[in-house]
Amino acid sequence: MLTIIDKYILKRYLATFFVMLLLFVPIGIMANLAEQVGKMIDNEVPFPEIAMYYLNFTLVIGNLLFPVFLFLSVIFFTSKLANNTEIVAILSSGVSYGRFLRPYLIGASIIAIIMFFMGMFIVPNASVGYNEFIFKYLKKGKQDRVTTNIFNQLNENDYIYVSSFDPARQIGYNFTMERFNEENTLDFKISAANIRWIDKDTVYRLTSYEKRKLVNDVEIVETKRRLDTIFDFKIDDLTPVSYIAETKNMFELNKFIATQKRKGASNINSYILVKYKRWALPIAAFILTIIAVAVSSVKRRGGMGVNLAFGIGVAFIYIFFDKVFGTLAEQSGFSPLWAVIIPNVMFGAIAFYLLQNAKR
């Protein structure tokens, strides 16, 4: 049951956090608008699309910076409590430091639940419009996916390859498809100068089609100038957009990762990293809350400014390590799981040390 002190601290915790969001998110929007307004004017972007972009921007960036806002808000209001000697009064009344932490952990639990549902279900939907707007207007002409030397395993038996892919025209060049039988020997091979998706007929059109098949050690070759046919894959599946994992909710992402693993996708680590980061964000809420309380619950010479400076420094270090290990996972064979675990373990150890050494 919550006491008066619990309610007081919890109210300050949540109120400061949401005020911090309301203060900094508009600043982020204005900074982004000042940077991108020239491109928006040059591309004659309609106002409704701009408004929707910044709504999505708020959700995507807000969710990404939730731990930082949480950390700074806890430092801010806890430093005020310490400067007003309210914490000394609470601890002097016989309340243990662990009991003093309880409303903070309840607040962290509430924020963690919000972060979980936003990261798993709300933000992925916003990420679709956010990224599409960026590549349509702000990064116009830049590729949002890999377009050369694309290899895919469709299932246990079928493999396809195109040397290059034009997503705007939905056409792939130098297409080959190989099917292997249960004995893992080549059943047949299809090749074509290009493969194009014909939307109105819902078929694939192969140009300079050739099919080679071995029957009783005799090679049978079938050629056609053009062939309309059906394949069990979507043309966009040849190479998903680079931000595809960010646009899928928890269940869709798990299914997508399983499919990409089966296909042998080369960038599978980046998809797995997105999945693990979503699970790690709520955990970070607890770690950063404990660090913030342990640091700011003591009245210091220099007041709140010293604590905020420390908080900003820790926030930047946290983001730095998160980015470094994330890049390692995406660009090398480093495990995405460890890329998420290591920064949280490091800061978890810092939280434990600071908590043990905090003045009771």
Side-chain angles (χ1 to χ4, degrees):
M1 184 175 178
L2 296 179
T3 64
I4 294 175
I5 294 176
D6 290 335
K7 293 177 181 178
Y8 175 69
I9 293 176
L10 184 58
K11 181 180 177 180
R12 295 287 296 274
Y13 183 111
L14 297 176
T16 307
F17 173 71
F18 287 112
V19 168
M20 188 82 68
L21 279 179
L22 292 175
L23 286 175
F24 281 93
V25 168
I27 293 173
I29 292 174
M30 295 307 297
N32 182 268
L33 181 60
E35 181 184 357
Q36 306 294 353
V37 66
K39 293 179 181 178
M40 293 180 184
I41 293 173
D42 292 340
N43 291 306
E44 299 179 347
V45 185
F47 177 76
E49 290 194 39
I50 295 176
M52 183 56 67
Y53 165 70
Y54 279 110
L55 175 60
N56 294 328
F57 175 89
T58 299
L59 292 171
V60 173
I61 300 302
N63 181 73
L64 185 66
L65 296 178
F66 256 24
V68 176
F69 291 147
L70 174 68
F71 187 58
L72 295 179
S73 62
V74 172
I75 285 182
F76 179 79
F77 88 84
T78 305
S79 295
K80 289 189 68 176
L81 294 179
N83 289 340
N84 296 334
T85 65
E86 292 178 76
I87 295 178
V88 172
I90 292 171
L91 297 179
S92 299
S93 67
V95 176
S96 68
Y97 201 84
R99 179 64 182 81
F100 167 68
L101 273 176
R102 192 175 81 165
Y104 286 94
L105 297 179
I106 293 173
S109 300
I110 294 171
I111 300 299
I113 291 170
I114 295 172
M115 291 169 65
F116 176 81
F117 281 100
M118 281 195 65
M120 292 296 187
F121 301 103
I122 299 173
V123 174
N125 186 53
S127 185
V128 177
Y130 171 74
N131 284 288
E132 286 180 351
F133 184 94
I134 287 175
F135 283 98
K136 184 177 180 181
Y137 297 114
L138 307 183
K139 293 184 179 180
K140 197 171 183 178
K142 293 186 179 181
Q143 295 290 346
D144 59 355
R145 66 186 84 198
V146 176
T147 57
T148 58
N149 296 322
I150 300 162
F151 170 85
N152 258 321
Q153 181 179 349
L154 300 179
N155 49 53
E156 293 182 358
N157 305 105
D158 297 338
Y159 300 81
I160 58 174
Y161 169 84
V162 292
S163 62
S164 63
F165 175 66
D166 183 348
R169 300 171 59 198
Q170 294 202 314
I171 181 171
Y173 298 93
N174 298 320
F175 169 78
T176 62
M177 175 180 176
E178 296 179 341
R179 173 169 294 174
F180 292 83
N181 55 32
E182 295 179 356
E183 287 75 32
N184 204 30
T185 58
L186 185 65
D187 189 9
F188 65 80
K189 178 178 180 179
I190 293 174
S191 59
N194 59 62
I195 177 172
R196 181 194 297 269
W197 172 250
I198 309 299
D199 191 52
K200 66 176 182 178
D201 298 325
T202 62
V203 296
Y204 289 97
R205 178 163 295 165
L206 304 179
T207 305
S208 300
Y209 165 85
E210 180 180 272
K211 180 178 180 181
R212 294 177 176 270
K213 183 178 178 67
L214 276 175
V215 179
N216 297 326
D217 295 329
V218 176
E219 184 180 41
I220 300 174
V221 181
E222 176 187 352
T223 60
K224 290 185 179 181
R225 185 179 64 85
R226 191 181 79 181
L227 175 69
D228 289 348
T229 188
I230 297 174
F231 288 118
D232 190 23
F233 65 88
K234 297 178 181 179
I235 191 72
D236 282 337
D237 289 344
L238 289 174
T239 172
V241 291
S242 56
Y243 53 83
I244 185 69
E246 300 169 20
T247 66
K248 296 186 176 297
N249 64 38
M250 180 174 69
F251 305 111
E252 293 170 343
L253 183 58
N254 289 335
K255 185 178 180 181
F256 175 74
I257 289 172
T259 301
Q260 293 301 308
K261 280 183 177 179
R262 177 172 54 80
K263 290 182 177 181
S266 58
N267 54 346
I268 187 68
N269 273 5
S270 62
Y271 305 144
I272 298 174
L273 183 65
V274 171
K275 172 184 174 180
Y276 288 146
K277 278 189 174 183
R278 291 183 185 177
W279 286 98
L281 272 178
I283 297 173
F286 293 95
I287 295 173
L288 295 178
T289 293
I290 292 172
I291 293 175
V293 174
V295 169
S296 57
S297 61
V298 179
K299 190 173 182 178
R300 302 176 188 277
R301 183 180 300 174
M304 189 185 302
V306 174
N307 290 336
L308 285 176
F310 175 82
I312 292 171
V314 170
F316 275 110
I317 294 171
Y318 177 82
I319 293 172
F320 172 76
F321 278 103
D322 181 65
K323 290 294 182 185
V324 166
F325 285 103
T327 302
L328 282 175
E330 290 177 345
Q331 305 296 331
S332 67
F334 193 75
S335 167
L337 180 60
W338 283 109
V340 172
I341 287 177
I342 291 175
N344 283 286
V345 168
M346 289 173 58
F347 281 84
I350 292 172
F352 180 78
Y353 173 80
L354 292 174
L355 189 61
Q356 292 301 313
N357 288 275
K359 290 184 179 181
R360 268 54 175 186

